[in-house]
Amino acid sequence: DTVVRLMESFGIRAVPHGAPDTVDVKAIRDGLGLTQEDFAVRFGLGLDTVQNWESGRRQPDRTARSYLTVIAREPRRVEEALRPAARDT
């Protein structure tokens, strides 16, 4: 709320977007054709974290749900963004 009010005081129309309430991690992973381990490594997640989410022992927090939503929609772009930059030699 404070950030939105501050932005609006500068004439910037703030339209907050929220993370989805739930994310089906297994469906995202299955849709990409990846094992739990491959999914975890490819997207910088802990294997135990992925396993806990999929088993229902834990739920992704808001930040993780946002990240998982981006992975579901744009997996190749996420991979590109996470790839180390080429160094000038």
Side-chain angles (χ1 to χ4, degrees):
D1 259 358
T2 304
V3 173
V4 171
R5 285 195 304 273
L6 179 62
M7 291 175 67
E8 288 174 349
S9 74
F10 286 101
I12 300 169
R13 183 170 176 256
V15 181
H17 296 279
D21 292 333
T22 61
V23 176
D24 188 339
V25 179
K26 185 174 185 330
I28 294 168
R29 180 180 61 75
D30 285 346
L32 296 172
L34 299 172
T35 65
Q36 288 179 334
E37 185 174 6
D38 290 340
F39 184 79
V41 169
R42 186 169 296 188
F43 296 109
L45 301 165
L47 176 58
D48 59 331
T49 299
V50 173
Q51 291 170 336
N52 284 330
W53 288 340
E54 289 191 11
S55 70
R57 284 188 296 271
R58 300 215 174 182
Q59 296 299 315
D61 64 16
R62 187 175 72 196
T63 302
R65 291 191 313 269
S66 294
Y67 181 49
L68 290 162
T69 299
V70 175
I71 292 170
R73 293 181 184 170
E74 297 289 341
R76 301 294 171 246
R77 290 188 182 193
V78 174
E79 289 179 69
E80 289 172 14
L82 295 175
R83 190 174 300 129
R87 291 186 170 171
D88 294 324
T89 54

